[in-house]
PDB file of all heavy atoms in Angstrom:
ATOM      1  N   GLY A 157       0.844  -1.202   0.033  1.00  0.00           N
ATOM      2  CA  GLY A 157       0.008  -0.023  -0.027  1.00  0.00           C
ATOM      3  C   GLY A 157       0.837   1.239  -0.014  1.00  0.00           C
ATOM      4  O   GLY A 157       0.494   2.261  -0.608  1.00  0.00           O
ATOM      5  N   GLY A 158       1.953   1.212   0.669  1.00  0.00           N
ATOM      6  CA  GLY A 158       2.867   2.382   0.738  1.00  0.00           C
ATOM      7  C   GLY A 158       3.399   2.824  -0.574  1.00  0.00           C
ATOM      8  O   GLY A 158       4.058   3.851  -0.692  1.00  0.00           O
ATOM      9  N   LEU A 159       3.260   1.969  -1.603  1.00  0.00           N
ATOM     10  CA  LEU A 159       3.712   2.387  -2.972  1.00  0.00           C
ATOM     11  C   LEU A 159       2.967   3.631  -3.431  1.00  0.00           C
ATOM     12  O   LEU A 159       3.510   4.359  -4.227  1.00  0.00           O
ATOM     13  CB  LEU A 159       3.491   1.262  -3.970  1.00  0.00           C
ATOM     14  CG  LEU A 159       4.255  -0.036  -3.682  1.00  0.00           C
ATOM     15  CD1 LEU A 159       3.972  -1.068  -4.771  1.00  0.00           C
ATOM     16  CD2 LEU A 159       5.737   0.232  -3.634  1.00  0.00           C
ATOM     17  N   SER A 160       1.740   3.863  -2.954  1.00  0.00           N
ATOM     18  CA  SER A 160       1.038   5.130  -3.333  1.00  0.00           C
ATOM     19  C   SER A 160       1.756   6.297  -2.767  1.00  0.00           C
ATOM     20  O   SER A 160       1.861   7.433  -3.332  1.00  0.00           O
ATOM     21  CB  SER A 160      -0.431   5.067  -2.901  1.00  0.00           C
ATOM     22  OG  SER A 160      -0.517   4.996  -1.461  1.00  0.00           O
ATOM     23  N   VAL A 161       2.300   6.161  -1.522  1.00  0.00           N
ATOM     24  CA  VAL A 161       3.110   7.217  -0.898  1.00  0.00           C
ATOM     25  C   VAL A 161       4.474   7.358  -1.525  1.00  0.00           C
ATOM     26  O   VAL A 161       5.032   8.454  -1.692  1.00  0.00           O
ATOM     27  CB  VAL A 161       3.172   6.975   0.655  1.00  0.00           C
ATOM     28  CG1 VAL A 161       4.011   8.059   1.293  1.00  0.00           C
ATOM     29  CG2 VAL A 161       1.754   6.952   1.223  1.00  0.00           C
ATOM     30  N   TRP A 162       5.076   6.169  -1.797  1.00  0.00           N
ATOM     31  CA  TRP A 162       6.410   6.152  -2.442  1.00  0.00           C
ATOM     32  C   TRP A 162       6.356   6.968  -3.717  1.00  0.00           C
ATOM     33  O   TRP A 162       7.322   7.748  -4.068  1.00  0.00           O
ATOM     34  CB  TRP A 162       6.812   4.735  -2.787  1.00  0.00           C
ATOM     35  CG  TRP A 162       8.187   4.549  -3.264  1.00  0.00           C
ATOM     36  CD1 TRP A 162       9.274   4.150  -2.590  1.00  0.00           C
ATOM     37  CD2 TRP A 162       8.639   4.669  -4.652  1.00  0.00           C
ATOM     38  NE1 TRP A 162      10.369   4.065  -3.418  1.00  0.00           N
ATOM     39  CE2 TRP A 162      10.000   4.383  -4.690  1.00  0.00           C
ATOM     40  CE3 TRP A 162       7.999   5.071  -5.861  1.00  0.00           C
ATOM     41  CZ2 TRP A 162      10.819   4.478  -5.880  1.00  0.00           C
ATOM     42  CZ3 TRP A 162       8.771   5.137  -7.000  1.00  0.00           C
ATOM     43  CH2 TRP A 162      10.159   4.847  -7.030  1.00  0.00           C
ATOM     44  N   ARG A 163       5.320   6.852  -4.541  1.00  0.00           N
ATOM     45  CA  ARG A 163       5.142   7.525  -5.778  1.00  0.00           C
ATOM     46  C   ARG A 163       5.170   9.085  -5.541  1.00  0.00           C
ATOM     47  O   ARG A 163       5.829   9.800  -6.286  1.00  0.00           O
ATOM     48  CB  ARG A 163       3.838   7.112  -6.445  1.00  0.00           C
ATOM     49  CG  ARG A 163       3.567   7.625  -7.813  1.00  0.00           C
ATOM     50  CD  ARG A 163       2.463   6.802  -8.412  1.00  0.00           C
ATOM     51  NE  ARG A 163       1.260   6.762  -7.553  1.00  0.00           N
ATOM     52  CZ  ARG A 163       0.300   5.849  -7.721  1.00  0.00           C
ATOM     53  NH1 ARG A 163       0.348   4.961  -8.653  1.00  0.00           N
ATOM     54  NH2 ARG A 163      -0.752   5.864  -6.899  1.00  0.00           N
ATOM     55  N   ALA A 164       4.427   9.505  -4.565  1.00  0.00           N
ATOM     56  CA  ALA A 164       4.413  10.934  -4.246  1.00  0.00           C
ATOM     57  C   ALA A 164       5.784  11.451  -3.745  1.00  0.00           C
ATOM     58  O   ALA A 164       6.192  12.544  -4.017  1.00  0.00           O
ATOM     59  CB  ALA A 164       3.286  11.234  -3.217  1.00  0.00           C
ATOM     60  N   LEU A 165       6.413  10.645  -2.916  1.00  0.00           N
ATOM     61  CA  LEU A 165       7.714  11.034  -2.351  1.00  0.00           C
ATOM     62  C   LEU A 165       8.798  11.115  -3.527  1.00  0.00           C
ATOM     63  O   LEU A 165       9.633  11.990  -3.547  1.00  0.00           O
ATOM     64  CB  LEU A 165       8.198  10.011  -1.348  1.00  0.00           C
ATOM     65  CG  LEU A 165       7.473  10.050  -0.016  1.00  0.00           C
ATOM     66  CD1 LEU A 165       7.785   8.759   0.836  1.00  0.00           C
ATOM     67  CD2 LEU A 165       7.860  11.264   0.787  1.00  0.00           C
ATOM     68  N   ARG A 166       8.700  10.138  -4.502  1.00  0.00           N
ATOM     69  CA  ARG A 166       9.599  10.170  -5.564  1.00  0.00           C
ATOM     70  C   ARG A 166       9.511  11.498  -6.350  1.00  0.00           C
ATOM     71  O   ARG A 166      10.553  12.079  -6.818  1.00  0.00           O
ATOM     72  CB  ARG A 166       9.348   9.011  -6.506  1.00  0.00           C
ATOM     73  CG  ARG A 166      10.187   8.971  -7.765  1.00  0.00           C
ATOM     74  CD  ARG A 166      11.653   8.412  -7.591  1.00  0.00           C
ATOM     75  NE  ARG A 166      12.451   9.311  -6.782  1.00  0.00           N
ATOM     76  CZ  ARG A 166      13.545   9.002  -6.172  1.00  0.00           C
ATOM     77  NH1 ARG A 166      13.977   7.746  -6.197  1.00  0.00           N
ATOM     78  NH2 ARG A 166      14.272   9.883  -5.504  1.00  0.00           N
ATOM     79  N   ALA A 167       8.284  11.972  -6.545  1.00  0.00           N
ATOM     80  CA  ALA A 167       8.128  13.223  -7.238  1.00  0.00           C
ATOM     81  C   ALA A 167       8.556  14.410  -6.448  1.00  0.00           C
ATOM     82  O   ALA A 167       9.121  15.395  -6.900  1.00  0.00           O
ATOM     83  CB  ALA A 167       6.637  13.371  -7.609  1.00  0.00           C
ATOM     84  N   ALA A 168       8.341  14.356  -5.064  1.00  0.00           N
ATOM     85  CA  ALA A 168       8.670  15.526  -4.301  1.00  0.00           C
ATOM     86  C   ALA A 168      10.150  15.620  -3.896  1.00  0.00           C
ATOM     87  O   ALA A 168      10.716  16.709  -3.645  1.00  0.00           O
ATOM     88  CB  ALA A 168       7.814  15.504  -2.978  1.00  0.00           C
ATOM     89  N   LEU A 169      10.829  14.447  -3.841  1.00  0.00           N
ATOM     90  CA  LEU A 169      12.221  14.338  -3.381  1.00  0.00           C
ATOM     91  C   LEU A 169      13.076  13.569  -4.386  1.00  0.00           C
ATOM     92  O   LEU A 169      13.581  12.486  -4.106  1.00  0.00           O
ATOM     93  CB  LEU A 169      12.281  13.639  -1.995  1.00  0.00           C
ATOM     94  CG  LEU A 169      11.511  14.264  -0.833  1.00  0.00           C
ATOM     95  CD1 LEU A 169      11.454  13.353   0.335  1.00  0.00           C
ATOM     96  CD2 LEU A 169      12.099  15.665  -0.456  1.00  0.00           C
ATOM     97  N   PRO A 170      13.184  14.137  -5.598  1.00  0.00           N
ATOM     98  CA  PRO A 170      13.826  13.342  -6.603  1.00  0.00           C
ATOM     99  C   PRO A 170      15.363  13.118  -6.378  1.00  0.00           C
ATOM    100  O   PRO A 170      15.920  12.198  -6.924  1.00  0.00           O
ATOM    101  CB  PRO A 170      13.696  14.225  -7.887  1.00  0.00           C
ATOM    102  CG  PRO A 170      13.426  15.575  -7.398  1.00  0.00           C
ATOM    103  CD  PRO A 170      12.646  15.388  -6.091  1.00  0.00           C
ATOM    104  N   GLY A 171      15.921  13.932  -5.488  1.00  0.00           N
ATOM    105  CA  GLY A 171      17.370  13.699  -5.139  1.00  0.00           C
ATOM    106  C   GLY A 171      17.617  12.773  -3.998  1.00  0.00           C
ATOM    107  O   GLY A 171      18.740  12.527  -3.601  1.00  0.00           O
ATOM    108  N   ALA A 172      16.526  12.220  -3.399  1.00  0.00           N
ATOM    109  CA  ALA A 172      16.710  11.311  -2.252  1.00  0.00           C
ATOM    110  C   ALA A 172      16.793   9.886  -2.622  1.00  0.00           C
ATOM    111  O   ALA A 172      16.257   9.435  -3.685  1.00  0.00           O
ATOM    112  CB  ALA A 172      15.528  11.535  -1.282  1.00  0.00           C
ATOM    113  N   HIS A 173      17.518   9.085  -1.826  1.00  0.00           N
ATOM    114  CA  HIS A 173      17.459   7.642  -1.940  1.00  0.00           C
ATOM    115  C   HIS A 173      16.291   7.122  -1.103  1.00  0.00           C
ATOM    116  O   HIS A 173      16.241   7.319   0.066  1.00  0.00           O
ATOM    117  CB  HIS A 173      18.770   7.034  -1.390  1.00  0.00           C
ATOM    118  CG  HIS A 173      18.720   5.568  -1.267  1.00  0.00           C
ATOM    119  ND1 HIS A 173      18.631   4.658  -2.356  1.00  0.00           N
ATOM    120  CD2 HIS A 173      18.692   4.741  -0.181  1.00  0.00           C
ATOM    121  CE1 HIS A 173      18.607   3.459  -1.939  1.00  0.00           C
ATOM    122  NE2 HIS A 173      18.601   3.467  -0.590  1.00  0.00           N
ATOM    123  N   LEU A 174      15.362   6.432  -1.794  1.00  0.00           N
ATOM    124  CA  LEU A 174      14.197   5.930  -1.213  1.00  0.00           C
ATOM    125  C   LEU A 174      14.437   4.463  -0.938  1.00  0.00           C
ATOM    126  O   LEU A 174      14.673   3.581  -1.807  1.00  0.00           O
ATOM    127  CB  LEU A 174      12.949   6.043  -2.064  1.00  0.00           C
ATOM    128  CG  LEU A 174      12.501   7.488  -2.330  1.00  0.00           C
ATOM    129  CD1 LEU A 174      11.222   7.554  -3.156  1.00  0.00           C
ATOM    130  CD2 LEU A 174      12.413   8.363  -1.076  1.00  0.00           C
ATOM    131  N   SER A 175      14.292   4.111   0.344  1.00  0.00           N
ATOM    132  CA  SER A 175      14.396   2.643   0.783  1.00  0.00           C
ATOM    133  C   SER A 175      13.080   2.221   1.337  1.00  0.00           C
ATOM    134  O   SER A 175      12.536   2.809   2.288  1.00  0.00           O
ATOM    135  CB  SER A 175      15.478   2.578   1.871  1.00  0.00           C
ATOM    136  OG  SER A 175      15.678   1.164   2.270  1.00  0.00           O
ATOM    137  N   TYR A 176      12.549   1.151   0.738  1.00  0.00           N
ATOM    138  CA  TYR A 176      11.148   0.724   1.071  1.00  0.00           C
ATOM    139  C   TYR A 176      11.211  -0.635   1.810  1.00  0.00           C
ATOM    140  O   TYR A 176      11.942  -1.502   1.395  1.00  0.00           O
ATOM    141  CB  TYR A 176      10.352   0.535  -0.264  1.00  0.00           C
ATOM    142  CG  TYR A 176       8.903   0.315  -0.074  1.00  0.00           C
ATOM    143  CD1 TYR A 176       7.996   1.328  -0.122  1.00  0.00           C
ATOM    144  CD2 TYR A 176       8.368  -0.958   0.143  1.00  0.00           C
ATOM    145  CE1 TYR A 176       6.654   1.144  -0.035  1.00  0.00           C
ATOM    146  CE2 TYR A 176       7.032  -1.157   0.271  1.00  0.00           C
ATOM    147  CZ  TYR A 176       6.123  -0.143   0.157  1.00  0.00           C
ATOM    148  OH  TYR A 176       4.752  -0.344   0.314  1.00  0.00           O
ATOM    149  N   LEU A 177      10.521  -0.702   2.893  1.00  0.00           N
ATOM    150  CA  LEU A 177      10.367  -1.906   3.657  1.00  0.00           C
ATOM    151  C   LEU A 177       8.928  -2.295   3.757  1.00  0.00           C
ATOM    152  O   LEU A 177       8.102  -1.572   4.402  1.00  0.00           O
ATOM    153  CB  LEU A 177      11.026  -1.753   5.069  1.00  0.00           C
ATOM    154  CG  LEU A 177      10.769  -2.960   6.059  1.00  0.00           C
ATOM    155  CD1 LEU A 177      11.395  -4.253   5.395  1.00  0.00           C
ATOM    156  CD2 LEU A 177      11.466  -2.650   7.421  1.00  0.00           C
ATOM    157  N   ALA A 178       8.623  -3.518   3.219  1.00  0.00           N
ATOM    158  CA  ALA A 178       7.251  -4.057   3.280  1.00  0.00           C
ATOM    159  C   ALA A 178       7.262  -5.196   4.264  1.00  0.00           C
ATOM    160  O   ALA A 178       7.977  -6.191   4.096  1.00  0.00           O
ATOM    161  CB  ALA A 178       6.837  -4.556   1.917  1.00  0.00           C
ATOM    162  N   ASP A 179       6.404  -5.108   5.290  1.00  0.00           N
ATOM    163  CA  ASP A 179       6.254  -6.174   6.243  1.00  0.00           C
ATOM    164  C   ASP A 179       5.129  -7.139   5.735  1.00  0.00           C
ATOM    165  O   ASP A 179       4.135  -7.398   6.426  1.00  0.00           O
ATOM    166  CB  ASP A 179       5.895  -5.663   7.626  1.00  0.00           C
ATOM    167  CG  ASP A 179       5.895  -6.791   8.705  1.00  0.00           C
ATOM    168  OD1 ASP A 179       6.470  -7.854   8.441  1.00  0.00           O
ATOM    169  OD2 ASP A 179       5.275  -6.521   9.752  1.00  0.00           O
ATOM    170  N   ASN A 180       5.288  -7.710   4.539  1.00  0.00           N
ATOM    171  CA  ASN A 180       4.281  -8.507   3.933  1.00  0.00           C
ATOM    172  C   ASN A 180       4.106  -9.860   4.587  1.00  0.00           C
ATOM    173  O   ASN A 180       3.154 -10.541   4.348  1.00  0.00           O
ATOM    174  CB  ASN A 180       4.378  -8.579   2.429  1.00  0.00           C
ATOM    175  CG  ASN A 180       5.721  -9.068   1.949  1.00  0.00           C
ATOM    176  OD1 ASN A 180       6.669  -9.218   2.763  1.00  0.00           O
ATOM    177  ND2 ASN A 180       5.852  -9.333   0.669  1.00  0.00           N
ATOM    178  N   ALA A 181       5.138 -10.238   5.453  1.00  0.00           N
ATOM    179  CA  ALA A 181       4.947 -11.491   6.192  1.00  0.00           C
ATOM    180  C   ALA A 181       3.776 -11.373   7.149  1.00  0.00           C
ATOM    181  O   ALA A 181       3.233 -12.389   7.604  1.00  0.00           O
ATOM    182  CB  ALA A 181       6.263 -11.792   6.912  1.00  0.00           C
ATOM    183  N   TRP A 182       3.537 -10.065   7.595  1.00  0.00           N
ATOM    184  CA  TRP A 182       2.389  -9.852   8.572  1.00  0.00           C
ATOM    185  C   TRP A 182       1.233  -9.152   7.899  1.00  0.00           C
ATOM    186  O   TRP A 182       0.188  -8.880   8.608  1.00  0.00           O
ATOM    187  CB  TRP A 182       2.924  -9.049   9.694  1.00  0.00           C
ATOM    188  CG  TRP A 182       3.290  -9.856  10.898  1.00  0.00           C
ATOM    189  CD1 TRP A 182       3.968 -11.025  10.882  1.00  0.00           C
ATOM    190  CD2 TRP A 182       3.020  -9.544  12.245  1.00  0.00           C
ATOM    191  NE1 TRP A 182       4.157 -11.448  12.257  1.00  0.00           N
ATOM    192  CE2 TRP A 182       3.560 -10.642  13.071  1.00  0.00           C
ATOM    193  CE3 TRP A 182       2.303  -8.524  12.925  1.00  0.00           C
ATOM    194  CZ2 TRP A 182       3.439 -10.627  14.421  1.00  0.00           C
ATOM    195  CZ3 TRP A 182       2.261  -8.542  14.286  1.00  0.00           C
ATOM    196  CH2 TRP A 182       2.799  -9.584  15.030  1.00  0.00           C
ATOM    197  N   ALA A 183       1.278  -8.841   6.648  1.00  0.00           N
ATOM    198  CA  ALA A 183       0.178  -8.132   5.987  1.00  0.00           C
ATOM    199  C   ALA A 183      -1.042  -8.989   5.797  1.00  0.00           C
ATOM    200  O   ALA A 183      -0.865 -10.241   5.648  1.00  0.00           O
ATOM    201  CB  ALA A 183       0.659  -7.597   4.715  1.00  0.00           C
ATOM    202  N   PRO A 184      -2.309  -8.425   5.854  1.00  0.00           N
ATOM    203  CA  PRO A 184      -2.505  -7.017   6.229  1.00  0.00           C
ATOM    204  C   PRO A 184      -2.520  -6.731   7.720  1.00  0.00           C
ATOM    205  O   PRO A 184      -2.865  -7.638   8.516  1.00  0.00           O
ATOM    206  CB  PRO A 184      -3.855  -6.727   5.579  1.00  0.00           C
ATOM    207  CG  PRO A 184      -4.564  -8.091   5.649  1.00  0.00           C
ATOM    208  CD  PRO A 184      -3.490  -9.105   5.405  1.00  0.00           C
ATOM    209  N   TYR A 185      -2.217  -5.521   8.106  1.00  0.00           N
ATOM    210  CA  TYR A 185      -2.163  -5.134   9.558  1.00  0.00           C
ATOM    211  C   TYR A 185      -3.573  -4.968  10.092  1.00  0.00           C
ATOM    212  O   TYR A 185      -3.777  -4.941  11.311  1.00  0.00           O
ATOM    213  CB  TYR A 185      -1.392  -3.812   9.654  1.00  0.00           C
ATOM    214  CG  TYR A 185       0.101  -3.996   9.797  1.00  0.00           C
ATOM    215  CD1 TYR A 185       0.727  -5.179   9.576  1.00  0.00           C
ATOM    216  CD2 TYR A 185       0.903  -2.903  10.141  1.00  0.00           C
ATOM    217  CE1 TYR A 185       2.116  -5.236   9.654  1.00  0.00           C
ATOM    218  CE2 TYR A 185       2.234  -2.954  10.250  1.00  0.00           C
ATOM    219  CZ  TYR A 185       2.910  -4.202  10.018  1.00  0.00           C
ATOM    220  OH  TYR A 185       4.263  -4.233  10.152  1.00  0.00           O
ATOM    221  N   GLY A 186      -4.576  -4.536   9.246  1.00  0.00           N
ATOM    222  CA  GLY A 186      -5.767  -3.928   9.708  1.00  0.00           C
ATOM    223  C   GLY A 186      -6.531  -4.693  10.739  1.00  0.00           C
ATOM    224  O   GLY A 186      -7.295  -4.038  11.562  1.00  0.00           O
ATOM    225  N   GLU A 187      -6.442  -5.993  10.843  1.00  0.00           N
ATOM    226  CA  GLU A 187      -7.240  -6.712  11.842  1.00  0.00           C
ATOM    227  C   GLU A 187      -6.382  -7.388  12.924  1.00  0.00           C
ATOM    228  O   GLU A 187      -6.849  -8.326  13.586  1.00  0.00           O
ATOM    229  CB  GLU A 187      -8.135  -7.740  11.055  1.00  0.00           C
ATOM    230  CG  GLU A 187      -9.159  -7.057  10.158  1.00  0.00           C
ATOM    231  CD  GLU A 187      -9.834  -8.045   9.164  1.00  0.00           C
ATOM    232  OE1 GLU A 187     -10.331  -9.119   9.595  1.00  0.00           O
ATOM    233  OE2 GLU A 187      -9.833  -7.733   7.998  1.00  0.00           O
ATOM    234  N   ARG A 188      -5.104  -7.009  13.075  1.00  0.00           N
ATOM    235  CA  ARG A 188      -4.230  -7.560  14.054  1.00  0.00           C
ATOM    236  C   ARG A 188      -4.317  -6.760  15.331  1.00  0.00           C
ATOM    237  O   ARG A 188      -4.644  -5.535  15.295  1.00  0.00           O
ATOM    238  CB  ARG A 188      -2.782  -7.625  13.578  1.00  0.00           C
ATOM    239  CG  ARG A 188      -2.546  -8.687  12.482  1.00  0.00           C
ATOM    240  CD  ARG A 188      -1.069  -8.752  12.174  1.00  0.00           C
ATOM    241  NE  ARG A 188      -0.795  -9.743  11.157  1.00  0.00           N
ATOM    242  CZ  ARG A 188      -0.579 -11.033  11.376  1.00  0.00           C
ATOM    243  NH1 ARG A 188      -0.636 -11.462  12.659  1.00  0.00           N
ATOM    244  NH2 ARG A 188      -0.290 -11.836  10.475  1.00  0.00           N
ATOM    245  N   PRO A 189      -4.045  -7.276  16.496  1.00  0.00           N
ATOM    246  CA  PRO A 189      -4.044  -6.580  17.800  1.00  0.00           C
ATOM    247  C   PRO A 189      -3.044  -5.382  17.812  1.00  0.00           C
ATOM    248  O   PRO A 189      -1.908  -5.584  17.382  1.00  0.00           O
ATOM    249  CB  PRO A 189      -3.707  -7.607  18.852  1.00  0.00           C
ATOM    250  CG  PRO A 189      -3.980  -8.935  18.176  1.00  0.00           C
ATOM    251  CD  PRO A 189      -3.734  -8.741  16.743  1.00  0.00           C
ATOM    252  N   ALA A 190      -3.478  -4.303  18.416  1.00  0.00           N
ATOM    253  CA  ALA A 190      -2.586  -3.134  18.385  1.00  0.00           C
ATOM    254  C   ALA A 190      -1.280  -3.384  19.086  1.00  0.00           C
ATOM    255  O   ALA A 190      -0.196  -2.925  18.640  1.00  0.00           O
ATOM    256  CB  ALA A 190      -3.349  -1.926  19.025  1.00  0.00           C
ATOM    257  N   GLU A 191      -1.292  -4.014  20.255  1.00  0.00           N
ATOM    258  CA  GLU A 191      -0.118  -4.210  20.996  1.00  0.00           C
ATOM    259  C   GLU A 191       0.920  -5.073  20.263  1.00  0.00           C
ATOM    260  O   GLU A 191       2.158  -4.807  20.272  1.00  0.00           O
ATOM    261  CB  GLU A 191      -0.360  -4.866  22.336  1.00  0.00           C
ATOM    262  CG  GLU A 191       0.716  -4.734  23.399  1.00  0.00           C
ATOM    263  CD  GLU A 191       1.050  -3.285  23.696  1.00  0.00           C
ATOM    264  OE1 GLU A 191       0.104  -2.424  23.839  1.00  0.00           O
ATOM    265  OE2 GLU A 191       2.204  -2.962  23.887  1.00  0.00           O
ATOM    266  N   ALA A 192       0.464  -6.131  19.610  1.00  0.00           N
ATOM    267  CA  ALA A 192       1.400  -6.966  18.818  1.00  0.00           C
ATOM    268  C   ALA A 192       1.946  -6.155  17.626  1.00  0.00           C
ATOM    269  O   ALA A 192       3.153  -6.296  17.318  1.00  0.00           O
ATOM    270  CB  ALA A 192       0.585  -8.204  18.298  1.00  0.00           C
ATOM    271  N   LEU A 193       1.151  -5.338  16.985  1.00  0.00           N
ATOM    272  CA  LEU A 193       1.608  -4.523  15.908  1.00  0.00           C
ATOM    273  C   LEU A 193       2.690  -3.522  16.334  1.00  0.00           C
ATOM    274  O   LEU A 193       3.674  -3.324  15.673  1.00  0.00           O
ATOM    275  CB  LEU A 193       0.458  -3.782  15.226  1.00  0.00           C
ATOM    276  CG  LEU A 193      -0.438  -4.579  14.294  1.00  0.00           C
ATOM    277  CD1 LEU A 193      -1.631  -3.786  13.864  1.00  0.00           C
ATOM    278  CD2 LEU A 193       0.339  -5.139  13.135  1.00  0.00           C
ATOM    279  N   ARG A 194       2.416  -2.912  17.526  1.00  0.00           N
ATOM    280  CA  ARG A 194       3.412  -1.934  18.045  1.00  0.00           C
ATOM    281  C   ARG A 194       4.806  -2.573  18.182  1.00  0.00           C
ATOM    282  O   ARG A 194       5.811  -2.028  17.841  1.00  0.00           O
ATOM    283  CB  ARG A 194       2.883  -1.337  19.313  1.00  0.00           C
ATOM    284  CG  ARG A 194       3.710  -0.163  19.824  1.00  0.00           C
ATOM    285  CD  ARG A 194       3.100   0.422  21.092  1.00  0.00           C
ATOM    286  NE  ARG A 194       1.748   0.919  20.781  1.00  0.00           N
ATOM    287  CZ  ARG A 194       0.629   0.390  21.278  1.00  0.00           C
ATOM    288  NH1 ARG A 194       0.717  -0.632  22.063  1.00  0.00           N
ATOM    289  NH2 ARG A 194      -0.568   0.936  20.917  1.00  0.00           N
ATOM    290  N   GLY A 195       4.731  -3.740  18.852  1.00  0.00           N
ATOM    291  CA  GLY A 195       6.040  -4.467  19.066  1.00  0.00           C
ATOM    292  C   GLY A 195       6.688  -4.866  17.716  1.00  0.00           C
ATOM    293  O   GLY A 195       7.967  -4.734  17.597  1.00  0.00           O
ATOM    294  N   ARG A 196       5.954  -5.303  16.783  1.00  0.00           N
ATOM    295  CA  ARG A 196       6.441  -5.652  15.526  1.00  0.00           C
ATOM    296  C   ARG A 196       7.105  -4.526  14.784  1.00  0.00           C
ATOM    297  O   ARG A 196       8.172  -4.660  14.230  1.00  0.00           O
ATOM    298  CB  ARG A 196       5.299  -6.266  14.631  1.00  0.00           C
ATOM    299  CG  ARG A 196       5.604  -6.591  13.219  1.00  0.00           C
ATOM    300  CD  ARG A 196       6.361  -7.947  13.140  1.00  0.00           C
ATOM    301  NE  ARG A 196       6.550  -8.276  11.746  1.00  0.00           N
ATOM    302  CZ  ARG A 196       7.166  -9.376  11.341  1.00  0.00           C
ATOM    303  NH1 ARG A 196       7.588 -10.254  12.234  1.00  0.00           N
ATOM    304  NH2 ARG A 196       7.226  -9.694  10.020  1.00  0.00           N
ATOM    305  N   VAL A 197       6.370  -3.426  14.681  1.00  0.00           N
ATOM    306  CA  VAL A 197       6.845  -2.282  13.918  1.00  0.00           C
ATOM    307  C   VAL A 197       8.085  -1.725  14.533  1.00  0.00           C
ATOM    308  O   VAL A 197       9.082  -1.371  13.858  1.00  0.00           O
ATOM    309  CB  VAL A 197       5.772  -1.183  13.788  1.00  0.00           C
ATOM    310  CG1 VAL A 197       6.335   0.064  13.141  1.00  0.00           C
ATOM    311  CG2 VAL A 197       4.570  -1.723  12.935  1.00  0.00           C
TER     312      VAL A 197
END
């Protein structure tokens, strides 16, 4: 999902090195317990 944000960052910060980390081993986050997610992130 963060690829939508990556796209905007690439346009705004063309001189930056963008490093993307996808936690797709745990995706999607939306229905997981908050405490477990906090520790994971």
Side-chain angles (χ1 to χ4, degrees):
L159 297 180
S160 64
V161 178
W162 187 99
R163 186 167 50 198
L165 288 166
R166 176 78 292 162
L169 301 170
H173 168 67
L174 299 184
S175 180
Y176 190 94
L177 174 57
D179 187 20
N180 55 350
W182 261 45
Y185 274 11
E187 296 167 50
R188 289 187 179 272
E191 198 60 40
L193 284 174
R194 187 175 302 110
R196 173 78 173 182
V197 173

